[in-house]
Amino acid sequence: MTCTIVVKIGTSSLTQSETGNLALSTLATLVETLTDLRRNGNRVVLVSSGAMGVGRDRLGLTERPRAIALKQAVAAVGQGRLIRVYDDLFTTLKQPIAQVLLTRGDLVQRSGYVNAYNTFQQLLKLGVIPIVNENDTVAVDELRFGDNDTLSALVASLVEADWLFMLTDVESLYSADPRSNPHAKPIHLVTNIQQLQEFQVEVGSSRSSWGTGGMITKIEAARIATSSGVRTVITDGKHPTNLKKILSGDAIGTQFEPQSRPVNSRRHWIANVLVPMGKLYLDPGAIKAIKEGGKSLLAAGIIRVEGEFNPNDSVQLCDNESQEFARGLVNYSSSEMQKIKGCHSEQIPEILGYYGAETVIHRDNLVIV
C-alpha cells in the first residue's frame, strides 16, 4: 500500500562530525532510497537540516556562530550549496525536487497555512519531492520553529502524512543516554507519550556541535505528529535504507503509535503551530467545565492574566500551579481581559463600554493539550 512519507534528516547525520563536511555517501544513499520510495508510488517529503554546517564549512568558520545576523548569513550561504548537492544527486536519478523554505510566520495565519497545504499537495501530485528547511535568513526568534524536528512534525501534519521518520545520530530512543550510561535500554515502541515517564527516560542535547536538536525535541515532535495521526519513527540517520525495512515491518528504531482519533486540522493549528502570546490562569470550576464538559471559557473563570496579546491571538490556559492544560484563540485583548477577569458575561458591556463576545474563548477555538 502506498502512503505519504515525511523524512527528516539532522545535521549530525548529513555531515562528518570532525570537519562538518557533507557525508556524501549518506546523502547519496538517502537520495536513492527516497527516489525508490517515490517510484513505488509513495508521496515523499524531505525535511533537511545542514545549511548552517555547510555554510560554516564553505566560509571556513571553525565555531558555530552566536550572533543572529551571522547565523542567518551563514545559513544563506549553506542553503544554496546544500540544495545544489541535492539537485545534482536527484537529477542523476531523474527525480524532480522543489525547495520549500518556511518560517512559523508563514503558517500562523490560517490563510498561509491553507496556502502551504495547497502548494504541497500540488507538488506531491506532480511527483516532486519537496525539500523543506526553515528559512533561517529571515526568521525572527519569536516566529522560529526552533529546530527541524518541530518543523518536520508540523509538515507531516500539514501534508496529512502516514509516516514521519526522524533520522538522527542514535539508532533509537533509550531509557538513558547510551553514550554515557552503559545500562541504557532501547525502547522500541511507545504507545503514548506519557508512557515515557514510566520508562523514566532521560533526554539530553545533541552531541553534534553542528546541530541544534536533541532527543527532547524529537519526543516533542513525536507528540505533535502522533496527535495528528502520523506514525513517527526515530532511527539511525547513517543507514537511510532502514526506511524501506521499517515500512516492510522490521522493528528498527523507536516507533510512536499515532492517536486513533487525531484532532482536526484547525485544532492542530491552534495547539501546535501558533505561538502563544500570553497566559490565562483559571479557577477549578472553569478548568473542569473545559476539560470535562467541553465548554467555552467565560471571563468569570479567569483568576489572572499574563502577557500582552490582541483579539484572535493564541494563549495558554493554566491552572493555579502554572500547568498548561489547553490553548485557544481569545476574543479580547490583554488590557480588556485585565478589566473583565472574574466578571460575569452580562457585566462586560458595562465594564468595557461596548458589547463584545459572551465568551473569552469559544469552544470551537479551544483545544486540550
Side-chain angles (χ1 to χ4, degrees):
M1 184 179 70
T2 59
C3 51
T4 301
I5 301 166
V6 175
V7 178
K8 182 266 176 180
I9 186 163
T11 300
S12 60
S13 301
L14 281 175
T15 57
Q16 300 169 4
S17 58
E18 302 83 8
T19 64
N21 295 333
L22 284 173
L24 292 176
S25 59
T26 301
L27 264 178
T29 304
L30 175 67
V31 167
E32 289 178 357
T33 300
L34 298 185
T35 300
D36 285 346
L37 290 173
R38 176 66 201 93
R39 287 175 178 169
N40 287 331
N42 300 290
R43 293 150 46 105
V44 179
V45 178
L46 174 61
V47 178
S48 177
S49 302
M52 184 76 71
V54 174
R56 282 172 55 179
D57 178 53
R58 181 65 169 164
L59 295 170
L61 302 178
T62 57
E63 295 183 358
R64 185 178 180 84
R66 296 182 181 277
I68 292 177
L70 181 57
K71 285 182 180 179
Q72 293 176 319
V74 172
V77 171
Q79 184 61 36
R81 188 168 178 79
L82 181 63
I83 202 68
R84 165 72 182 274
V85 173
Y86 274 125
D87 191 49
D88 287 345
L89 292 171
F90 276 109
T91 297
T92 302
L93 300 176
K94 296 182 171 55
Q95 170 60 51
I97 65 170
Q99 178 176 236
V100 180
L101 299 177
L102 294 172
T103 67
R104 206 159 195 150
D106 297 323
L107 303 181
V108 294
Q109 296 294 329
R110 186 63 181 164
S111 59
Y113 190 83
V114 172
N115 286 341
Y117 170 85
N118 290 335
T119 299
F120 273 109
Q121 293 303 317
Q122 192 62 59
L123 287 170
L124 295 172
K125 184 178 179 180
L126 291 169
V128 173
I129 295 180
I131 299 180
V132 186
N133 197 358
E134 183 163 14
N135 194 350
D136 292 307
T137 306
V138 299
V140 293
D141 278 348
E142 62 268 25
L143 289 177
R144 286 183 59 84
F145 295 104
D147 57 82
N148 275 352
D149 296 324
T150 302
L151 173 59
S152 69
L154 294 174
V155 169
S157 302
L158 177 67
V159 302
E160 300 171 343
D162 301 289
W163 291 84
L164 167 61
F165 291 94
M166 288 187 283
L167 308 184
T168 185
D169 54 4
V170 292
E171 64 270 20
S172 65
L173 176 65
Y174 282 80
S175 57
D177 191 335
R179 297 165 296 194
S180 58
N181 188 335
H183 302 293
K185 297 180 180 179
I187 300 171
H188 297 296
L189 180 65
V190 179
T191 57
N192 188 294
I193 297 294
Q194 301 303 320
Q195 180 185 359
L196 297 180
Q197 295 179 356
E198 300 172 15
F199 291 148
Q200 297 182 326
V201 172
E202 298 176 12
V203 293
S205 61
S206 171
R207 69 179 172 191
S208 169
S209 63
W210 305 91
T212 58
M215 193 57 69
I216 192 169
T217 66
K218 291 170 180 57
I219 293 173
E220 174 61 14
R223 182 196 66 77
I224 294 172
T226 54
S227 70
S228 296
V230 183
R231 181 172 290 274
T232 303
V233 182
I234 295 174
T235 190
D236 188 357
K238 295 297 185 182
H239 299 92
T241 53
N242 283 347
L243 298 182
K244 295 180 182 178
K245 297 176 182 178
I246 295 169
L247 289 168
S248 297
D250 287 6
I252 300 173
T254 300
Q255 290 197 25
F256 296 79
E257 288 190 349
Q259 288 188 11
S260 58
R261 299 179 64 185
V263 297
N264 63 37
S265 61
R266 179 175 174 79
R267 290 181 182 272
H268 162 73
W269 174 69
I270 293 171
N272 299 310
V273 179
L274 297 182
V275 179
M277 304 304 292
K279 294 182 179 181
L280 302 180
Y281 294 84
L282 311 187
D283 65 31
I287 294 172
K288 183 177 181 180
I290 291 171
K291 294 178 70 172
E292 299 180 14
K295 302 294 186 180
S296 300
L297 173 62
L298 303 178
I302 300 172
I303 301 172
R304 182 157 53 99
V305 179
E306 279 188 8
E308 295 184 5
F309 48 85
N310 297 311
N312 296 317
D313 278 347
S314 170
V315 297
Q316 298 170 294
L317 304 187
C318 304
D319 60 24
N320 252 342
E321 298 179 352
S322 299
Q323 183 68 40
E324 179 188 10
F325 70 91
R327 292 186 184 186
L329 305 182
V330 290
N331 291 322
Y332 293 96
S333 68
S334 53
S335 59
E336 293 169 323
M337 289 297 307
Q338 294 288 3
K339 298 175 182 178
I340 65 174
K341 65 182 180 182
C343 300
H344 293 289
S345 298
E346 58 267 23
Q347 297 176 283
I348 292 178
E350 181 180 351
I351 295 171
L352 297 182
Y354 53 84
Y355 286 93
E358 291 186 3
T359 61
V360 171
I361 301 177
H362 192 275
R363 62 187 179 189
D364 291 344
N365 292 327
L366 194 154
V367 58
I368 305 296
V369 298

